[in-house]
Amino acid sequence: MRTPLVAGNWKMHKTPSEARVWFNEFLDELGGVPPGVEVALLPSFPLLPVAAEELAGSGVAFGAQDVSAHDWGAFTGEVSAYQVADLGAKYAVVGHSERRKYWREGSGLVAEKAKRALEAGLVPILCVGEELEVRERGEAIPFVVGQLLDSLAGVEPPSPDRLVIAYEPVWAIGTGKTATPGDAEVMAEAIRSALAGRYGEAFAGEVRVLYGGSIKPANFAQILAGPNVDGGLVGGASLEVASFAELVRLAVGL
Ligand code: 13P
């Protein structure tokens, strides 16, 4: 039984004071996390202590958008998974396509980040996804499966609830274009079968596979209808209280 996860990736938006107001409004609007769904917010680093304070006891989890591949040391500007975990965070995104693209993060580095996240007690939300030209060449599935397995090299989660995979087709992020529910399901199924090869059937059957890319209240229900899609990693629509709360309600009872 996989509990659906709705996670809001705020990217580089909001100040700590704006976040404080947002968290309070969101908790009021939601009136408690409904049973049968998990909710997480992934704000940028300076907002994490605010998330820790405001979300404490609410049942809403939080996490970081990235962590360093190093545990500690002379790495100016980096943030350790241990620093994030100490705040009470549950998750850390690794391998988001914006980091792969703008900072040239390769899957080997992403695997190191996933390992550090696990060692620190965090659950990595490991992102994979293809560019448009890869899809147009008909190579989306082998590309994404290859990226997934490379990004999991040496990554050994102790249990299936300690890993989340997010399929985010690059061409669907922030563009208003979404994968069709069928394409999202076909890819989620391919990801799950690659996970079965890597970790065994039973393990893969329990890992949550999210879809991300221009999720909105108007399209989320159809995307969630795929039996292998276990929730969403939401960018733009997580910035507004009303739309994010609506997405959470749509995932209830999945
Ligand atoms: P959008 O929902 O804004 O397309 O962003 C998706 C994303 O990158 C979430 O990590």
Side-chain angles (χ1 to χ4, degrees):
M1 181 60 200
R2 304 186 296 265
T3 303
L5 171 62
V6 182
N9 173 7
W10 279 3
K11 308 190 178 180
M12 198 170 69
H13 292 287
K14 300 190 192 293
T15 63
S17 8
E18 287 167 348
R20 195 176 297 281
V21 172
W22 195 100
F23 291 137
N24 278 293
E25 285 180 7
F26 177 66
L27 294 177
D28 281 354
E29 165 75 25
L30 203 60
V33 177
V37 64
E38 191 186 347
V39 185
L41 285 156
L42 310 162
S44 46
F45 292 123
L47 283 55
L48 291 176
V50 180
E53 273 174 47
E54 300 299 334
L55 299 175
S58 71
V60 175
F62 66 96
Q65 297 169 13
D66 189 27
V67 286
S68 177
H70 302 280
D71 49 5
W72 299 106
F75 299 104
T76 301
E78 288 282 271
V79 174
S80 167
Y82 289 94
Q83 294 169 320
V84 171
D86 185 73
L87 287 170
K90 177 168 182 188
Y91 292 104
V93 175
V94 294
H96 191 278
S97 67
E98 286 151 14
R99 299 217 58 88
R100 291 182 188 264
K101 183 168 169 186
Y102 302 133
W103 284 271
R104 306 241 185 286
E105 293 193 5
S107 294
L109 180 69
V110 173
E112 289 306 310
K113 291 183 171 199
K115 286 189 230 172
R116 295 302 89 70
L118 283 169
E119 286 159 12
L122 298 170
V123 177
I125 301 177
L126 197 156
C127 302
V128 289
E130 81 287 357
E131 302 267 357
L132 186 58
E133 69 251 26
V134 175
R135 176 156 288 271
E136 284 173 344
R137 283 203 305 270
E139 292 166 7
I141 290 178
F143 176 88
V144 168
V145 165
Q147 194 181 49
L148 175 74
L149 294 175
D150 289 349
S151 303
L152 288 171
V155 177
E156 301 297 341
S159 55
D161 59 348
R162 299 288 310 282
L163 179 66
V164 175
I165 306 298
Y167 167 54
E168 298 206 309
V170 178
W171 47 270
I173 295 178
T175 58
K177 294 180 192 154
T178 38
T180 66
D183 286 342
E185 168 60 19
V186 164
M187 188 63 82
E189 192 183 8
I191 287 171
R192 199 175 301 288
S193 97
L195 291 171
R198 175 73 177 78
Y199 298 114
E201 288 281 345
F203 190 101
E206 294 297 315
V207 173
R208 286 173 298 178
V209 179
L210 312 184
Y211 167 81
S214 296
I215 288 174
K216 297 188 175 41
N219 60 28
F220 199 34
Q222 293 97 295
I223 290 167
L224 290 174
N228 282 288
V229 179
D230 307 312
L233 184 56
V234 185
S238 71
L239 295 172
E240 300 297 329
V241 164
S243 53
F244 193 60
E246 183 59 19
L247 294 175
V248 171
R249 289 188 202 105
L250 286 166
V252 170
L254 186 68

PDB file of all heavy atoms in Angstrom, residues 7 9 11 93 96-98 127 168 172-177 212-216 233-238, ligand 1:
ATOM      1  N   ALA A   7       4.042  16.823  -3.089  1.00  0.00           N
ATOM      2  CA  ALA A   7       5.187  17.600  -2.603  1.00  0.00           C
ATOM      3  C   ALA A   7       5.306  18.881  -3.416  1.00  0.00           C
ATOM      4  O   ALA A   7       5.257  18.854  -4.646  1.00  0.00           O
ATOM      5  CB  ALA A   7       6.466  16.768  -2.730  1.00  0.00           C
ATOM      6  N   ASN A   9       7.510  21.857  -4.637  1.00  0.00           N
ATOM      7  CA  ASN A   9       8.874  22.369  -4.834  1.00  0.00           C
ATOM      8  C   ASN A   9       8.774  23.856  -5.139  1.00  0.00           C
ATOM      9  O   ASN A   9       8.400  24.246  -6.246  1.00  0.00           O
ATOM     10  CB  ASN A   9       9.522  21.605  -6.004  1.00  0.00           C
ATOM     11  CG  ASN A   9      10.872  22.188  -6.386  1.00  0.00           C
ATOM     12  OD1 ASN A   9      11.402  23.070  -5.709  1.00  0.00           O
ATOM     13  ND2 ASN A   9      11.435  21.707  -7.481  1.00  0.00           N
ATOM     14  N   LYS A  11      11.103  25.951  -5.481  1.00  0.00           N
ATOM     15  CA  LYS A  11      12.246  26.485  -6.240  1.00  0.00           C
ATOM     16  C   LYS A  11      12.737  27.773  -5.556  1.00  0.00           C
ATOM     17  O   LYS A  11      12.669  27.862  -4.340  1.00  0.00           O
ATOM     18  CB  LYS A  11      11.852  26.666  -7.703  1.00  0.00           C
ATOM     19  CG  LYS A  11      11.256  25.369  -8.270  1.00  0.00           C
ATOM     20  CD  LYS A  11      11.059  25.351  -9.745  1.00  0.00           C
ATOM     21  CE  LYS A  11      10.501  23.988 -10.166  1.00  0.00           C
ATOM     22  NZ  LYS A  11      10.279  23.861 -11.591  1.00  0.00           N
ATOM     23  N   VAL A  93      15.297  16.661  -2.268  1.00  0.00           N
ATOM     24  CA  VAL A  93      15.289  16.436  -3.716  1.00  0.00           C
ATOM     25  C   VAL A  93      16.732  16.289  -4.171  1.00  0.00           C
ATOM     26  O   VAL A  93      17.612  17.024  -3.715  1.00  0.00           O
ATOM     27  CB  VAL A  93      14.633  17.632  -4.442  1.00  0.00           C
ATOM     28  CG1 VAL A  93      14.735  17.473  -5.962  1.00  0.00           C
ATOM     29  CG2 VAL A  93      13.173  17.786  -4.014  1.00  0.00           C
ATOM     30  N   HIS A  96      17.222  17.172  -9.536  1.00  0.00           N
ATOM     31  CA  HIS A  96      16.191  17.919 -10.272  1.00  0.00           C
ATOM     32  C   HIS A  96      16.746  18.358 -11.626  1.00  0.00           C
ATOM     33  O   HIS A  96      17.919  18.700 -11.741  1.00  0.00           O
ATOM     34  CB  HIS A  96      15.732  19.139  -9.465  1.00  0.00           C
ATOM     35  CG  HIS A  96      14.505  19.759 -10.055  1.00  0.00           C
ATOM     36  ND1 HIS A  96      14.563  20.627 -11.119  1.00  0.00           N
ATOM     37  CD2 HIS A  96      13.183  19.600  -9.763  1.00  0.00           C
ATOM     38  CE1 HIS A  96      13.321  20.979 -11.443  1.00  0.00           C
ATOM     39  NE2 HIS A  96      12.475  20.380 -10.635  1.00  0.00           N
ATOM     40  N   SER A  97      15.908  18.359 -12.633  1.00  0.00           N
ATOM     41  CA  SER A  97      16.405  18.645 -13.997  1.00  0.00           C
ATOM     42  C   SER A  97      17.013  20.041 -14.109  1.00  0.00           C
ATOM     43  O   SER A  97      17.882  20.272 -14.941  1.00  0.00           O
ATOM     44  CB  SER A  97      15.288  18.472 -15.022  1.00  0.00           C
ATOM     45  OG  SER A  97      14.307  19.452 -14.827  1.00  0.00           O
ATOM     46  N   GLU A  98      16.539  20.975 -13.262  1.00  0.00           N
ATOM     47  CA  GLU A  98      17.159  22.314 -13.317  1.00  0.00           C
ATOM     48  C   GLU A  98      18.597  22.255 -12.838  1.00  0.00           C
ATOM     49  O   GLU A  98      19.462  22.967 -13.348  1.00  0.00           O
ATOM     50  CB  GLU A  98      16.303  23.309 -12.519  1.00  0.00           C
ATOM     51  CG  GLU A  98      15.033  23.648 -13.283  1.00  0.00           C
ATOM     52  CD  GLU A  98      13.833  24.025 -12.438  1.00  0.00           C
ATOM     53  OE1 GLU A  98      13.995  24.298 -11.239  1.00  0.00           O
ATOM     54  OE2 GLU A  98      12.710  24.026 -12.996  1.00  0.00           O
ATOM     55  N   CYS A 127      14.982  12.755  -8.941  1.00  0.00           N
ATOM     56  CA  CYS A 127      14.261  13.174 -10.150  1.00  0.00           C
ATOM     57  C   CYS A 127      14.950  12.659 -11.409  1.00  0.00           C
ATOM     58  O   CYS A 127      16.177  12.695 -11.520  1.00  0.00           O
ATOM     59  CB  CYS A 127      14.201  14.693 -10.240  1.00  0.00           C
ATOM     60  SG  CYS A 127      13.416  15.462  -8.831  1.00  0.00           S
ATOM     61  N   GLU A 168       9.921  13.650 -14.062  1.00  0.00           N
ATOM     62  CA  GLU A 168       9.597  15.004 -14.489  1.00  0.00           C
ATOM     63  C   GLU A 168      10.148  15.225 -15.897  1.00  0.00           C
ATOM     64  O   GLU A 168      11.331  15.549 -16.058  1.00  0.00           O
ATOM     65  CB  GLU A 168      10.227  16.030 -13.545  1.00  0.00           C
ATOM     66  CG  GLU A 168       9.738  15.931 -12.121  1.00  0.00           C
ATOM     67  CD  GLU A 168       9.865  17.264 -11.395  1.00  0.00           C
ATOM     68  OE1 GLU A 168      10.942  17.871 -11.419  1.00  0.00           O
ATOM     69  OE2 GLU A 168       8.862  17.697 -10.837  1.00  0.00           O
ATOM     70  N   ALA A 172       8.009  19.460 -19.812  1.00  0.00           N
ATOM     71  CA  ALA A 172       6.720  19.731 -19.164  1.00  0.00           C
ATOM     72  C   ALA A 172       6.873  20.653 -17.953  1.00  0.00           C
ATOM     73  O   ALA A 172       5.890  21.051 -17.349  1.00  0.00           O
ATOM     74  CB  ALA A 172       6.066  18.421 -18.728  1.00  0.00           C
ATOM     75  N   ILE A 173       8.122  21.003 -17.602  1.00  0.00           N
ATOM     76  CA  ILE A 173       8.347  21.771 -16.376  1.00  0.00           C
ATOM     77  C   ILE A 173       8.181  23.259 -16.657  1.00  0.00           C
ATOM     78  O   ILE A 173       8.897  23.823 -17.481  1.00  0.00           O
ATOM     79  CB  ILE A 173       9.741  21.476 -15.800  1.00  0.00           C
ATOM     80  CG1 ILE A 173       9.807  20.015 -15.351  1.00  0.00           C
ATOM     81  CG2 ILE A 173      10.061  22.418 -14.654  1.00  0.00           C
ATOM     82  CD1 ILE A 173      11.150  19.593 -14.804  1.00  0.00           C
ATOM     83  N   GLY A 174       7.214  23.857 -15.988  1.00  0.00           N
ATOM     84  CA  GLY A 174       7.001  25.297 -16.092  1.00  0.00           C
ATOM     85  C   GLY A 174       6.534  25.747 -17.459  1.00  0.00           C
ATOM     86  O   GLY A 174       6.551  26.940 -17.769  1.00  0.00           O
ATOM     87  N   THR A 175       6.103  24.828 -18.301  1.00  0.00           N
ATOM     88  CA  THR A 175       5.746  25.170 -19.673  1.00  0.00           C
ATOM     89  C   THR A 175       4.246  25.159 -19.901  1.00  0.00           C
ATOM     90  O   THR A 175       3.778  25.601 -20.948  1.00  0.00           O
ATOM     91  CB  THR A 175       6.350  24.149 -20.653  1.00  0.00           C
ATOM     92  OG1 THR A 175       5.861  22.849 -20.289  1.00  0.00           O
ATOM     93  CG2 THR A 175       7.863  24.161 -20.609  1.00  0.00           C
ATOM     94  N   GLY A 176       3.497  24.625 -18.943  1.00  0.00           N
ATOM     95  CA  GLY A 176       2.066  24.463 -19.152  1.00  0.00           C
ATOM     96  C   GLY A 176       1.733  23.197 -19.926  1.00  0.00           C
ATOM     97  O   GLY A 176       0.571  22.834 -20.068  1.00  0.00           O
ATOM     98  N   LYS A 177       2.771  22.527 -20.450  1.00  0.00           N
ATOM     99  CA  LYS A 177       2.522  21.252 -21.146  1.00  0.00           C
ATOM    100  C   LYS A 177       2.664  20.131 -20.124  1.00  0.00           C
ATOM    101  O   LYS A 177       3.606  20.127 -19.352  1.00  0.00           O
ATOM    102  CB  LYS A 177       3.580  21.001 -22.221  1.00  0.00           C
ATOM    103  CG  LYS A 177       3.542  21.971 -23.354  1.00  0.00           C
ATOM    104  CD  LYS A 177       4.636  21.609 -24.359  1.00  0.00           C
ATOM    105  CE  LYS A 177       4.808  22.737 -25.345  1.00  0.00           C
ATOM    106  NZ  LYS A 177       6.143  22.775 -25.928  1.00  0.00           N
ATOM    107  N   GLY A 212       5.853  14.868 -12.195  1.00  0.00           N
ATOM    108  CA  GLY A 212       5.971  16.322 -12.033  1.00  0.00           C
ATOM    109  C   GLY A 212       6.070  16.987 -13.389  1.00  0.00           C
ATOM    110  O   GLY A 212       6.675  16.430 -14.317  1.00  0.00           O
ATOM    111  N   GLY A 213       5.531  18.189 -13.495  1.00  0.00           N
ATOM    112  CA  GLY A 213       5.579  18.954 -14.743  1.00  0.00           C
ATOM    113  C   GLY A 213       4.221  19.554 -15.033  1.00  0.00           C
ATOM    114  O   GLY A 213       3.329  18.862 -15.512  1.00  0.00           O
ATOM    115  N   SER A 214       4.070  20.843 -14.680  1.00  0.00           N
ATOM    116  CA  SER A 214       2.833  21.602 -14.964  1.00  0.00           C
ATOM    117  C   SER A 214       1.576  20.946 -14.378  1.00  0.00           C
ATOM    118  O   SER A 214       0.506  20.994 -14.976  1.00  0.00           O
ATOM    119  CB  SER A 214       2.673  21.837 -16.472  1.00  0.00           C
ATOM    120  OG  SER A 214       3.738  22.647 -16.946  1.00  0.00           O
ATOM    121  N   ILE A 215       1.741  20.356 -13.182  1.00  0.00           N
ATOM    122  CA  ILE A 215       0.544  19.832 -12.483  1.00  0.00           C
ATOM    123  C   ILE A 215      -0.300  21.015 -12.019  1.00  0.00           C
ATOM    124  O   ILE A 215       0.220  22.003 -11.493  1.00  0.00           O
ATOM    125  CB  ILE A 215       0.955  18.982 -11.255  1.00  0.00           C
ATOM    126  CG1 ILE A 215       1.556  17.659 -11.709  1.00  0.00           C
ATOM    127  CG2 ILE A 215      -0.237  18.738 -10.323  1.00  0.00           C
ATOM    128  CD1 ILE A 215       2.119  16.822 -10.565  1.00  0.00           C
ATOM    129  N   LYS A 216      -1.606  20.870 -12.214  1.00  0.00           N
ATOM    130  CA  LYS A 216      -2.571  21.880 -11.761  1.00  0.00           C
ATOM    131  C   LYS A 216      -3.809  21.149 -11.274  1.00  0.00           C
ATOM    132  O   LYS A 216      -4.010  19.982 -11.637  1.00  0.00           O
ATOM    133  CB  LYS A 216      -2.985  22.773 -12.935  1.00  0.00           C
ATOM    134  CG  LYS A 216      -1.844  23.560 -13.494  1.00  0.00           C
ATOM    135  CD  LYS A 216      -2.212  24.582 -14.517  1.00  0.00           C
ATOM    136  CE  LYS A 216      -1.001  25.406 -14.920  1.00  0.00           C
ATOM    137  NZ  LYS A 216       0.239  24.644 -15.081  1.00  0.00           N
ATOM    138  N   LEU A 233       5.031  15.939  -7.850  1.00  0.00           N
ATOM    139  CA  LEU A 233       6.028  16.934  -7.441  1.00  0.00           C
ATOM    140  C   LEU A 233       5.645  18.203  -8.191  1.00  0.00           C
ATOM    141  O   LEU A 233       5.695  18.244  -9.417  1.00  0.00           O
ATOM    142  CB  LEU A 233       7.439  16.455  -7.801  1.00  0.00           C
ATOM    143  CG  LEU A 233       8.604  17.340  -7.357  1.00  0.00           C
ATOM    144  CD1 LEU A 233       8.572  17.593  -5.852  1.00  0.00           C
ATOM    145  CD2 LEU A 233       9.944  16.686  -7.726  1.00  0.00           C
ATOM    146  N   VAL A 234       5.231  19.201  -7.414  1.00  0.00           N
ATOM    147  CA  VAL A 234       4.509  20.347  -7.973  1.00  0.00           C
ATOM    148  C   VAL A 234       5.352  21.596  -7.851  1.00  0.00           C
ATOM    149  O   VAL A 234       5.822  21.925  -6.756  1.00  0.00           O
ATOM    150  CB  VAL A 234       3.187  20.550  -7.192  1.00  0.00           C
ATOM    151  CG1 VAL A 234       2.363  21.653  -7.837  1.00  0.00           C
ATOM    152  CG2 VAL A 234       2.399  19.260  -7.087  1.00  0.00           C
ATOM    153  N   GLY A 235       5.554  22.305  -8.940  1.00  0.00           N
ATOM    154  CA  GLY A 235       6.278  23.569  -8.891  1.00  0.00           C
ATOM    155  C   GLY A 235       5.294  24.727  -8.743  1.00  0.00           C
ATOM    156  O   GLY A 235       4.810  25.014  -7.648  1.00  0.00           O
ATOM    157  N   GLY A 236       4.982  25.375  -9.854  1.00  0.00           N
ATOM    158  CA  GLY A 236       4.179  26.608  -9.851  1.00  0.00           C
ATOM    159  C   GLY A 236       2.909  26.528  -9.014  1.00  0.00           C
ATOM    160  O   GLY A 236       2.605  27.456  -8.255  1.00  0.00           O
ATOM    161  N   ALA A 237       2.168  25.432  -9.132  1.00  0.00           N
ATOM    162  CA  ALA A 237       0.880  25.339  -8.433  1.00  0.00           C
ATOM    163  C   ALA A 237       1.036  25.105  -6.928  1.00  0.00           C
ATOM    164  O   ALA A 237       0.045  25.068  -6.198  1.00  0.00           O
ATOM    165  CB  ALA A 237       0.009  24.246  -9.051  1.00  0.00           C
ATOM    166  N   SER A 238       2.297  24.973  -6.456  1.00  0.00           N
ATOM    167  CA  SER A 238       2.484  24.851  -4.999  1.00  0.00           C
ATOM    168  C   SER A 238       2.744  26.212  -4.359  1.00  0.00           C
ATOM    169  O   SER A 238       2.870  26.308  -3.138  1.00  0.00           O
ATOM    170  CB  SER A 238       3.649  23.900  -4.670  1.00  0.00           C
ATOM    171  OG  SER A 238       4.896  24.479  -4.992  1.00  0.00           O
TER     172      SER A 238
HETATM  173  P1  13P B   1       6.030  23.043 -12.546  1.00  0.00           P
HETATM  174  O1  13P B   1       4.933  22.368 -11.769  1.00  0.00           O
HETATM  175  O2  13P B   1       6.099  24.527 -12.301  1.00  0.00           O
HETATM  176  O3  13P B   1       5.986  22.677 -14.001  1.00  0.00           O
HETATM  177  O4  13P B   1       7.415  22.464 -11.981  1.00  0.00           O
HETATM  178  C1  13P B   1       7.597  21.108 -11.883  1.00  0.00           C
HETATM  179  C2  13P B   1       8.844  20.836 -11.127  1.00  0.00           C
HETATM  180  O5  13P B   1       9.946  21.048 -11.617  1.00  0.00           O
HETATM  181  C3  13P B   1       8.712  20.326  -9.754  1.00  0.00           C
HETATM  182  O6  13P B   1       9.938  19.892  -9.269  1.00  0.00           O
END
